[in-house]
Amino acid sequence: MEHAAVDLTLIGLLALICQWLAWRLKLPAILPLLIVGIVMGPVTGLLQPDALLGDLLFPLVSLAVAVILFEGSLTLDFGDLRGHGHIVRRLVTWGALVTGIIGIVAARYTLGLSWEMASVLGAVLVVTGPTVVLPMLQTLRAREHLSQILRWEGILIDPVGAIGAVLVYEFVALGASNGAATYTLVLFAKTALIGFGLGGLGGYLWGCVLRHHWLPQRLHSFGTLMAMLSLFTLSNMLFHESGLLTVTVMGVWLANMRGVPTQQIIEFKETLSLLLISGLFILLAARLTVDQLAQLSWPAWAFLLILVGVARPLAVWVCTLGTRLNWREKALLAWLSPRGIVAAAVASLFALKLENLSMPGAEMLVPVTFLVIISTVVVQSLLSRPIALALKVSEPPPAGFLIIGANPVARTIAKALEESGFTVRLTDNSWDAVQEARMAGLPVYYGNPLSEHATQHLELTGIGHLLPLSPYRELNNLAILHFEHVLGHGKVFRLAAGTSKHAHRHQEQALDHLPMVFGEDVTYAQLSSVVYRGGEVRKTKLSANFNIENYRQAHQNRLLPLFCIGPNGRIRVANDRAPLTPRAGDTLISLIYPDSPEF
């Protein structure tokens, strides 16, 4: 018992270190997790999951994969699928089909797998996923429409591909258990009926529970988890292995049911999924054996080359026929297709189940899948930026602004920046503030900007600066710490907390190295007061005959300089460590207040 506790604690610590490394290096977390698992398992033999967990291994993996598939399907809003272009719709439908078919044929003739096992492998490797695509897009800086295509393909292919993989597996597993084609089709129809029927019914009924608040708010997340796991278990009791399809359908139903509050559930499942995914992949990688790794000879590498060098380019070519994309843009889309967490989890679970059914070739599922994941993540992470530059499809360094808050201060400043040609994105937890921003024509994200949901859905294309303009100091500071790593030093500012001794005493020391936006004495309360009393943000072009001093005199010194845009279009942000020194030819953006000076 004591040895098991030590191993489980070690897995947790290693998972935390891997997640931290991924954050620091801006890499998908799955890469260090799998590498550590392989080192701890087949390389050194320090971790033996089968001996550690025994008969609990299979149920734990099964439940963890159910949670992962449910959380992925919970983000599949059909409105998103309709709203992001026909190229994305093609990629997650026809593109997935083309990739799957080529993958199946390649697995059959390069790896020598049976058609059944080749079908499972081909279906599993259709899925890319946002956890591997989005970190690459942050460093890739491709043109905005290309980033949008890749981003939404990664988000939507996750649940869509998972549903396809589960259906293929169910058909193969049923066929392996009886061998009669007609009987297999009947059983498959039963699986589909239970999966779609029970999943849809369960999603609807639980959606009613959430929509009518028959549970207190604090129990929504926990209740949803238990409802999902109960349906998973019930579905498997009604018909063997139908549970994965059931929970996937349930998640899709909840995501698209009107009036169902899923934001809190999504935030809860992010923490749970982080825990499950981190521990799961160390365990799964540690289960690999030296014999399995030895099977990764030239046929496995040939399969990988066909998957990334033939299947993906052909799928992109088919899905972009008749579009305005040029060959350079199509080439970038064809290059970027890393496999991720869902592929690894589903392949590992299917391998365990098919091995129990004595399916020949089942032992190849996990090592080949891990080979594809590690190879695509490593190679594409390293080469995507140089390839984008060579193809001339990269954007210049981003100069836009992410603004924490959608209040009147944030909206006023954002509008002036947008009118000056800069990309802006506001984020707020207040629905009323978000609605006001949308009515003003400003792009806004509703929710917590630090959440995993924001990582997937908060669009940062063109964003190069952060302005913390929320009235909540804690949220501002957490956002600063989070986005400084993403945007880089010198692009993130802090907001003065106030002049009271109490505020200064509690100022976080971790932020002391950052400049204070607009000046060391400019607080949110002062900005809000000026805007409330009718203050306006205006811009003016300075010249040799009309300099900053003339501008101040014209407004009787009732102004606060905010930004300065040079003739080359480069913007400078006023702060306490680099006060603005506008010159002739610059455009000055200032806050003009209606009465006596405030700052």
Side-chain angles (χ1 to χ4, degrees):
M1 178 66 71
E2 185 176 345
H3 179 69
V6 171
D7 283 351
L8 291 173
T9 303
L10 179 61
I11 291 172
L13 290 174
L14 290 173
L16 177 61
I17 293 171
C18 290
Q19 291 286 349
W20 178 81
L21 278 175
W23 172 73
R24 291 297 302 175
L25 301 177
K26 298 183 180 180
L27 289 174
I30 190 173
L31 183 59
L33 288 170
L34 294 182
I35 292 174
V36 166
I38 291 173
V39 171
M40 294 295 294
V43 175
T44 64
L46 295 176
L47 181 61
Q48 299 178 357
D50 292 271
L52 174 64
L53 297 174
D55 293 338
L56 288 177
L57 177 62
F58 181 86
L60 286 176
V61 173
S62 183
L63 290 174
V65 173
V67 172
I68 292 170
L69 291 180
F70 176 73
E71 66 97 1
S73 61
L74 199 60
T75 63
L76 181 55
D77 188 337
F78 291 136
D80 293 337
L81 187 60
R82 292 190 300 270
H84 286 86
H86 59 284
I87 295 178
V88 176
R89 291 196 299 271
R90 290 179 184 178
L91 285 171
V92 300
T93 51
W94 292 109
L97 182 61
V98 170
T99 303
I101 291 174
I102 295 177
I104 291 169
V105 175
R108 176 71 178 91
Y109 290 106
T110 61
L111 301 174
L113 299 177
S114 65
W115 282 113
E116 292 82 4
M117 288 304 306
S119 298
V120 174
L121 182 60
V124 165
L125 291 176
V126 161
V127 181
T128 56
T131 55
V132 286
V133 173
L134 297 183
M136 292 186 186
L137 292 180
Q138 291 179 1
T139 57
L140 181 62
R141 292 212 308 263
R143 292 174 183 169
E144 183 172 0
H145 63 285
L146 296 179
S147 294
Q148 287 279 25
I149 291 171
L150 289 166
R151 175 172 171 265
W152 280 102
E153 181 198 8
I155 292 171
L156 298 174
I157 197 66
D158 205 337
V160 171
I163 291 173
V166 169
L167 288 174
V168 171
Y169 162 77
E170 300 290 359
F171 187 81
V172 170
L174 291 171
S177 62
N178 58 78
T182 303
Y183 187 52
T184 300
L185 288 173
V186 173
L187 294 180
F188 178 71
K190 185 176 180 180
T191 301
L193 181 63
I194 292 176
F196 283 100
L198 188 60
L201 178 62
Y204 171 75
L205 293 177
W206 190 252
C208 290
V209 171
L210 298 177
R211 184 166 59 188
H212 296 292
H213 297 280
W214 293 337
L215 272 182
Q217 186 75 23
R218 63 188 179 88
L219 293 180
H220 278 198
S221 299
F222 176 62
T224 300
L225 175 65
M226 295 314 303
M228 182 274 294
L229 293 178
S230 299
L231 272 184
F232 175 74
T233 304
L234 175 61
S235 182
N236 281 338
M237 291 174 61
L238 292 175
F239 195 76
H240 188 58
E241 305 302 354
S242 62
L244 292 178
L245 180 59
T246 299
V247 298
T248 305
V249 173
M250 178 186 179
V252 173
W253 190 286
L254 286 174
N256 293 275
M257 187 174 177
R258 291 185 178 180
V260 177
T262 59
Q263 183 65 35
Q264 183 180 0
I265 299 170
I266 290 173
E267 292 180 1
F268 170 76
K269 61 85 182 168
E270 289 167 1
T271 302
L272 181 62
S273 295
L274 182 65
L275 174 64
L276 290 174
I277 287 169
S278 300
L280 179 64
F281 289 114
I282 291 178
L283 285 171
L284 294 178
R287 286 192 77 249
L288 288 170
T289 64
V290 176
D291 292 338
Q292 286 178 315
L293 295 176
Q295 297 179 42
L296 298 177
S297 55
W298 72 264
W301 291 99
F303 171 76
L304 170 64
L305 290 176
I306 292 173
L307 198 64
V308 300
V310 177
R312 176 64 176 182
L314 184 59
V316 169
W317 178 75
V318 169
C319 296
T320 55
L321 285 174
T323 66
R324 295 182 179 180
L325 296 182
N326 58 45
W327 72 267
R328 291 185 176 88
E329 295 169 331
K330 293 179 182 180
L332 183 67
L333 295 181
W335 163 253
L336 201 67
S337 59
R339 269 54 177 185
I341 281 171
V342 172
V346 173
S348 300
L349 179 60
F350 289 176
L352 285 170
K353 294 182 177 182
L354 292 171
E355 286 172 6
N356 290 338
L357 295 174
S358 300
M359 280 284 288
E363 71 282 356
M364 290 291 293
L365 269 182
V366 173
V368 172
T369 300
F370 282 10
L371 171 67
V372 172
I373 290 171
I374 294 176
S375 300
T376 54
V377 170
V378 171
V379 174
Q380 294 179 15
S381 293
L382 293 175
L383 298 182
S384 290
R385 178 62 178 166
I387 287 176
L389 291 172
L391 292 172
K392 299 180 180 179
V393 293
S394 292
E395 293 281 6
F401 289 82
L402 174 64
I403 300 177
I404 306 300
N407 49 72
V409 173
R411 296 197 301 268
T412 301
I413 293 176
K415 198 66 178 177
L417 288 169
E418 187 179 59
E419 291 174 352
S420 299
F422 293 92
T423 300
V424 295
R425 196 86 62 211
L426 293 83
T427 173
D428 207 302
N429 280 317
S430 167
W431 180 249
D432 292 337
V434 166
Q435 288 293 83
E436 290 287 342
R438 287 175 177 168
M439 291 176 63
L442 295 168
V444 61
Y445 169 79
Y446 173 57
N448 181 1
L450 310 179
S451 66
E452 185 67 24
H453 185 267
T455 301
Q456 297 183 13
H457 294 80
L458 176 57
E459 177 56 50
L460 294 179
T461 303
I463 299 298
H465 305 84
L466 176 99
L467 297 180
L469 298 180
S470 164
Y472 306 106
R473 186 162 60 96
E474 185 69 19
L475 175 60
N476 285 340
N477 293 341
L478 289 174
I480 291 167
L481 293 172
H482 177 76
F483 286 101
E484 184 187 14
H485 174 70
V486 176
L487 300 177
H489 182 69
K491 302 296 183 179
V492 174
F493 303 87
R494 57 182 169 132
L495 187 65
T499 57
S500 70
K501 294 182 180 179
H502 177 80
H504 281 301
R505 187 167 58 249
H506 290 84
Q507 185 73 16
E508 286 76 359
Q509 294 182 356
L511 305 179
D512 287 345
H513 64 288
L514 297 175
M516 292 185 181
V517 69
F518 308 143
E520 61 180 350
D521 298 322
V522 179
T523 66
Y524 173 81
Q526 292 170 321
L527 291 171
S528 179
S529 174
V530 170
V531 171
Y532 177 78
R533 297 199 322 271
E536 299 178 358
V537 175
R538 300 178 188 172
K539 62 179 181 178
T540 187
K541 183 74 173 287
L542 302 179
S543 65
N545 297 323
F546 188 75
N547 58 28
I548 180 63
E549 295 304 324
N550 300 134
Y551 189 49
R552 288 185 181 278
Q553 292 174 8
H555 288 285
Q556 301 176 356
N557 209 34
R558 291 183 290 108
L559 63 87
L560 175 69
L562 304 177
F563 310 97
C564 191
I565 306 172
N568 58 359
R570 183 179 178 183
I571 190 169
R572 306 191 301 277
V573 182
N575 62 84
D576 65 324
R577 299 181 188 177
L580 294 183
T581 54
R583 298 179 292 270
D586 289 347
T587 298
L588 184 66
I589 300 178
S590 306
L591 174 63
I592 310 298
Y593 29 92
D595 40 36
S596 60
E598 288 282 333
F599 308 102

